[in-house]
């Protein structure tokens, strides 16, 4: 089970997260997380060029035993040569990450592939060079797959999936991706930590979805299950999902996850889902 966990790294470079009270993960804690991860069989890291100094913080710890997936940012509007842009970004990432090759390179903005006609070919060239094993996209909504998958072939897709946000399953895309032999990584299993907050800790912004949160709170109360375990169990219960990316703010949370994965079989998952984009997409959250 643990080998299907991937370490998310937005928190290694950014001071972010609705439930994050401690800021960016400290170097000393990162070292402990890496050591313990390898010891437990967790050997995948998800990062992105856009996560500020996440790549170099990972690279400082010589992550040679990890399979690393990173993401190319939005292509800048003044980009003159897309091939050079791809090569330069990949070579900079390899340098920062301190590794000879990457497991995967994803587009952080998938629609760039339609906008820049050479981008797909350049990604394939990078793959042929051996610098990257798999190419793919990181999506925000399954509709991006409707648009792109008939035309392009990808090896790896990253998508959000959690108790509330089941779009990748309900759209039929999870099954289709698996049938196509595409590797699937899911992120956001704690919905940025929102699913782990107690009722009194949730910002007022979420009051408009109180009917959904009431169901979630009641389930946790009645089942006496740990929300960390329930949130992990949901994506891990799909055999076709190759990696479930988890974000942590520190070593303590990482250990809490390891402990919960150990006990996952005893847990149940509720049938609650939310379709409102304003709730399930953290970039839509507005706090005054
Ligand atoms: N016991 C506990 O309390 C406990 C235990 C575990 C985790 N947690 C909390 O859960 C959080 C992780 O939640 P999660 O694993 O569900 O991951 P998540 O934060 O929902 O998803 C991670 C994704 O969020 C996106 N992101 C990065 N920077 C962002 C920003 N500035 N604003 C908005 N989104 C951004 C990134 O995706 P894109 O790159 O595609 O944008 C990243 O891959 C931790 O930070 C921690 O606070 C708490």
């Amino acid at each position: 089970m643990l080998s299907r966990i991937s370490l998310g790294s937005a928190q290694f470079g950014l001071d972010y997260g609705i439930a994050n009270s401690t800021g960016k993960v400290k170097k000393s804690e990162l070292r402990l997380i890496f050591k313990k991860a390898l010891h437990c069989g967790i050997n995948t890291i998800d990062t992105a060029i856009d996560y500020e100094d996440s790549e170099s913080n990972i690279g400082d710890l010589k992550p040679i035993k990890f399979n690393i997936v990173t993401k190319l940012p939005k292509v800048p509007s003044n980009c003159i040569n897309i091939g050079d842009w791809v090569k330069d970004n990949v070579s900079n990432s390899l340098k920062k990450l301190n590794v000879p090759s990457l497991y995967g390179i994803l587009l952080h903005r998938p629609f760039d592939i339609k906008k820049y006609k050479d981008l797909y070919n350049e990604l394939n060239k990078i793959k042929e060079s051996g610098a990257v094993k798999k190419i793919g996209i990181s999506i925000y909504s399954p509709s991006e797959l409707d648009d792109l998958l008939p035309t392009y072939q990808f090896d790896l897709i990253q998508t959000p999936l959690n108790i509330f946000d089941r779009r990748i399953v309900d759209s039929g895309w999870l099954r289709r991706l698996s049938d196509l032999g595409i590797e699937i990584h899911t992120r956001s299993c704690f919905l940025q930590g929102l699913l782990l907050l107690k009722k009194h800790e949730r910002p007022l912004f979420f009051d408009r979805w109180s009917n959904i949160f009431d169901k979630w709170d009641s389930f946790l109360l009645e089942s006496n299950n740990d929300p960390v375990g329930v949130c992990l169990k949901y994506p891990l219960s799909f055999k076709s999902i190759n990696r479930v990316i988890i974000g942590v703010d520190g070593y303590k949370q990482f250990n809490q996850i390891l402990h919960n994965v150990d006990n996952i079989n005893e847990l149940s998952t509720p049938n609650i889902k939310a379709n409102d984009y304003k709730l399930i997409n953290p970039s839509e959250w507005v706090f005054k």
Side-chain angles (χ1 to χ4, degrees):
M1 194 78 90
L2 282 169
S3 60
R4 288 173 64 214
I5 298 282
S6 168
L7 272 178
S9 71
Q11 295 83 347
F12 301 171
L14 296 164
D15 194 357
Y16 111 100
I18 189 171
N20 184 348
S21 53
T22 50
K24 202 156 91 170
V25 178
K26 292 175 196 69
K27 271 277 174 63
S28 54
E29 299 217 7
L30 202 52
R31 193 179 297 279
L32 292 172
I33 292 171
F34 278 24
K35 199 170 167 204
K36 184 107 179 218
L38 287 173
H39 180 74
C40 300
I42 298 174
N43 65 356
T44 310
I45 297 176
D46 174 76
T47 189
I49 293 171
D50 272 347
Y51 299 162
E52 296 190 5
D53 56 356
S54 174
E55 286 190 331
S56 32
N57 286 336
I58 294 167
D60 287 349
L61 296 177
K62 301 193 176 62
I64 196 76
K65 292 189 177 146
F66 285 96
N67 291 321
I68 301 181
V69 178
T70 193
K71 306 181 203 87
L72 289 170
K74 186 175 169 26
V75 178
S77 53
N78 60 354
C79 177
I80 299 165
N81 184 318
I82 207 83
D84 288 346
W85 181 81
V86 171
K87 270 183 249 145
D88 290 349
N89 269 297
V90 170
S91 118
N92 280 337
S93 285
L94 290 173
K95 244 181 255 151
K96 283 187 185 170
L97 287 163
N98 221 343
V99 288
S101 64
L102 294 164
Y103 184 74
I105 187 101
L106 310 181
L107 293 180
H108 222 146
R109 297 290 171 263
F111 283 124
D112 276 352
I113 211 155
K114 283 178 92 172
K115 204 165 159 195
Y116 300 93
K117 65 176 176 43
D118 293 333
L119 183 52
Y120 181 63
N121 287 341
E122 294 300 334
L123 288 176
N124 275 298
K125 279 191 206 161
I126 283 286
K127 190 168 110 176
E128 280 156 25
S129 77
V132 172
K133 197 168 171 194
K134 304 207 170 191
I135 61 168
I137 53 175
S138 173
I139 61 164
Y140 286 84
S141 154
S143 60
E144 291 167 88
L145 298 175
D146 295 327
D147 222 11
L148 299 177
L149 247 69
T151 316
Y152 305 98
Q153 283 176 8
F154 297 115
D155 309 308
L156 205 171
I157 303 283
Q158 186 190 118
T159 173
L161 175 69
N162 54 62
I163 298 270
F164 281 12
D165 180 1
R166 302 178 181 215
R167 292 170 299 162
I168 197 73
V169 180
D170 293 348
S171 62
W173 267 112
L174 187 67
R175 180 174 288 275
R176 285 163 76 187
L177 291 175
S178 165
D179 290 346
L180 288 165
I182 295 174
E183 186 164 329
I184 306 160
H185 294 193
T186 68
R187 67 171 182 275
S188 225
C189 67
F190 307 118
L191 194 50
Q192 215 185 91
L194 175 65
L195 294 172
L196 308 178
L197 294 179
K198 299 216 163 50
K199 189 172 180 166
H200 69 273
E201 296 170 322
R202 278 176 215 132
L204 290 176
F205 171 76
F206 297 102
D207 279 5
R208 70 192 81 176
W209 297 287
S210 58
N211 57 334
I212 297 168
F213 284 105
D214 284 348
K215 282 189 203 161
W216 176 230
D217 293 337
S218 304
F219 167 82
L220 292 172
L221 189 70
E222 283 157 23
S223 64
N224 201 22
N225 283 342
D226 186 322
V228 173
V230 179
C231 287
L232 285 164
K233 176 158 185 163
Y234 179 62
L236 283 168
S237 65
F238 295 94
K239 298 273 179 291
S240 55
I241 293 174
N242 303 83
R243 293 289 180 277
V244 172
I245 300 164
I246 50 114
V248 291
D249 300 342
Y251 189 55
K252 194 171 161 213
Q253 286 184 359
F254 183 61
N255 275 311
Q256 199 184 358
I257 286 170
L258 298 181
H259 170 75
N260 272 283
V261 172
D262 272 352
N263 299 319
I264 218 160
N265 289 333
E266 295 143 36
L267 304 175
S268 46
T269 50
N271 191 13
I272 303 169
K273 71 173 119 171
N275 291 318
D276 192 340
Y277 200 60
K278 290 199 158 38
L279 170 59
I280 57 184
N281 182 356
S283 64
E284 294 281 328
W285 297 347
V286 187
F287 307 111
K288 295 237 165 87

